[in-house]
């Protein structure tokens, strides 16, 4: 059955299949091997055919951390991965499937030791798919995760941002560089994730030294995050907060918002020292003049 899950980026990719077209049910002719590292460093062969019957006496493998691109163009290669865990106390082989719009595209027998987790990756092609949004995912016997894939001829919007460490008075910050393919804004988030300021509208292209006034000035050193946002309603006004995120969402890269963070050091405005002009007391002293009379003649 399908279980809805959140999209989580999986970094470690431990296996890759051949590339059947999406929608073409696997005929068992593809095969792949991967090393299963155990305490004994043993190796199990993983095959894409899975003739094993469903064994209800053991718990189903768990599927978690599904990772897949959110948007592709027709003909693109699509890599979909997830973590698969054996929750049983015995080594088992169970079937793991990649499904697209409910159909099994590929099925593999996957061997795991007790309580072992590994990442399984399916690589397929979007060749021949019409533009639109499709549901796909990875499933074990009783568990699974799904997400959506949008196929579009139009390349998805892209952005990059550079937010350097900086010193500020706390009232504003400067984004060193922001490139937005479709224009938009750069929002500043605090360490709690709340938006504390946003730039004016930026036209498509690259912008340098973008000043962002903070709604509430920061008063102590902190780490802030710069995040480019789209102008989805084309009104050149940042409406993400007011619409609870329904408008002007962030630019993403494979479903993950594009961000850069920097340490903001807060300093006070320089203080002008008080200038005191002291006029020295001027005392004019007239020296005493003494006239000495040598002699007086009295007649």
């Amino acid at each position: 059955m399908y279980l809805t899950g959140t999209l989580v980026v999986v970094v470690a990719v431990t296996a890759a299949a051949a590339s059947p077209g999406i929608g073409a049910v696997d005929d068992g002719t593809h095969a792949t091997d991967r090393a299963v590292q155990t305490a004994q460093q043993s190796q199990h062969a993983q095959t894409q055919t899975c003739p094993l019957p469903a064994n209800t006496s053991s718990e189903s493998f768990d599927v978690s951390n599904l990772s897949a691109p959110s948007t592709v163009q027709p003909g693109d290669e699509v890599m979909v991965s997830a973590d698969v865990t054996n929750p049983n106390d015995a080594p088992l082989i169970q079937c793991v499937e990649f499904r697209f719009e409910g159909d099994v595209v590929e099925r593999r027998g996957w061997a795991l030791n007790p309580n072992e987790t590994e990442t399984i990756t399916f690589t397929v092609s979007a060749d021949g798919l019409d533009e639109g949004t499709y549901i796909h995912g990875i499933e074990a016997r009783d568990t699974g995760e799904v997400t959506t894939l949008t196929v579009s001829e139009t390349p998805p919007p892209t952005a990059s941002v550079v937010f350097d460490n900086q010193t500020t008075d706390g009232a504003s910050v400067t984004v060193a560089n922001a490139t937005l393919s479709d224009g938009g804004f750069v929002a500043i988030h605090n360490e709690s994730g709340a938006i504390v300021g946003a730039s004016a509208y930026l036209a498509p292209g690259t912008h340098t030294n973008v000043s962002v006034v903070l709604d509430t000035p920061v008063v102590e050193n902190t780490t802030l995050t710069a995040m480019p946002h789209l102008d989805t309603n084309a009104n050149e006004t940042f409406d993400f907060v007011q619409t609870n995120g329904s408008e002007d969402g962030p630019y993403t890269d494979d479903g993950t918002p594009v961000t850069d963070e920097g340490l903001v050091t807060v300093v006070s405005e320089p203080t002008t020292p008080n200038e005191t002009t002291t006029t020295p007391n001027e005392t004019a002293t007239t020296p005493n003049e003494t006239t000495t009379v040598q002699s007086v003649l009295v007649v």
Side-chain angles (χ1 to χ4, degrees), residues 70-72 74 100-101 129-135 148-153:
S70 59
T71 304
V72 298
F100 189 85
E101 288 290 294
L129 287 177
D130 294 331
E131 289 190 285
T133 300
Y134 301 87
I135 297 174
T148 58
L149 176 71
T150 298
V151 179
S152 174
E153 292 281 0

Side-chain angles (χ1 to χ4, degrees), residues 6 22 24 28 35 45 66 75 82 125-126 141-142 145 150 154 172 175 183 254 259:
T6 56
I22 293 179
L66 180 68
S125 172
R141 189 189 72 205
D142 297 330
E145 288 194 354
T150 298
T154 304
S172 64
V175 177
D254 277 349
T259 63

Side-chain angles (χ1 to χ4, degrees), residues 1-280:
M1 63 180 178
Y2 283 110
L3 296 180
T4 302
T6 56
L7 188 64
V8 180
V9 175
V10 177
V11 176
V13 176
T14 59
S19 301
I22 293 179
V25 177
D26 179 59
D27 58 6
T29 60
H30 305 289
T32 186
D33 295 328
R34 67 96 174 89
V36 179
Q37 295 184 355
T38 65
Q40 296 78 25
Q41 296 297 305
S42 62
Q43 182 172 341
H44 304 293
Q46 304 294 351
T47 65
Q48 293 180 348
T49 58
C50 188
L52 302 175
N55 183 356
T56 56
S57 64
S58 61
E59 290 188 53
S60 169
F61 283 177
D62 292 326
V63 177
S64 61
N65 296 341
L66 180 68
S67 174
S70 59
T71 304
V72 298
Q73 293 181 279
D76 282 354
E77 189 175 74
V78 182
M79 296 182 65
V80 185
S81 62
D83 290 343
V84 180
T85 302
N86 176 14
N88 298 278
D89 294 330
L92 289 175
I93 300 176
Q94 290 189 6
C95 297
V96 181
E97 301 172 341
F98 171 66
R99 288 178 173 260
F100 189 85
E101 288 290 294
D103 295 328
V104 177
V105 176
E106 192 174 346
R107 179 184 293 114
R108 301 185 202 168
W110 200 254
L112 291 174
N113 287 299
N115 301 307
E116 182 180 26
T117 298
E118 287 199 344
T119 302
I120 186 170
T121 299
F122 295 92
T123 304
V124 293
S125 172
D127 191 29
L129 287 177
D130 294 331
E131 289 190 285
T133 300
Y134 301 87
I135 297 174
H136 67 98
I138 294 176
E139 296 184 1
R141 189 189 72 205
D142 297 330
T143 66
E145 288 194 354
V146 297
T147 187
T148 58
L149 176 71
T150 298
V151 179
S152 174
E153 292 281 0
T154 304
T158 60
S160 64
V161 63
V162 177
F163 187 53
D164 294 330
N165 297 342
Q166 58 193 273
T167 299
T168 174
D169 61 1
S172 64
V173 293
T174 300
V175 177
N177 185 287
T179 300
L180 292 73
S181 65
D182 293 13
F185 316 88
V186 177
I188 304 298
H189 295 247
N190 63 17
E191 292 180 315
S192 300
I195 294 178
V196 294
S199 71
Y201 174 76
L202 303 174
T206 298
H207 304 263
T208 59
N209 297 325
V210 178
S211 179
V212 180
V213 177
L214 303 180
D215 297 332
T216 302
V218 293
V219 296
E220 59 184 14
N221 300 346
T222 187
T223 298
L224 299 178
T225 299
M227 181 184 296
H229 281 248
L230 292 152
D231 183 19
T232 57
N233 53 11
N235 66 355
E236 300 188 3
T237 301
F238 186 61
D239 296 321
F240 182 79
V241 177
Q242 290 82 351
T243 62
N244 294 319
S246 64
E247 297 289 351
D248 300 346
Y251 281 84
T252 60
D253 182 9
D254 277 349
T256 302
V258 175
T259 63
D260 192 28
E261 65 179 29
L263 175 63
V264 175
T265 302
V266 180
V267 295
S268 301
E269 288 287 342
T271 302
T272 303
N274 294 327
E275 296 181 0
T276 303
T277 302
T278 303
T279 303

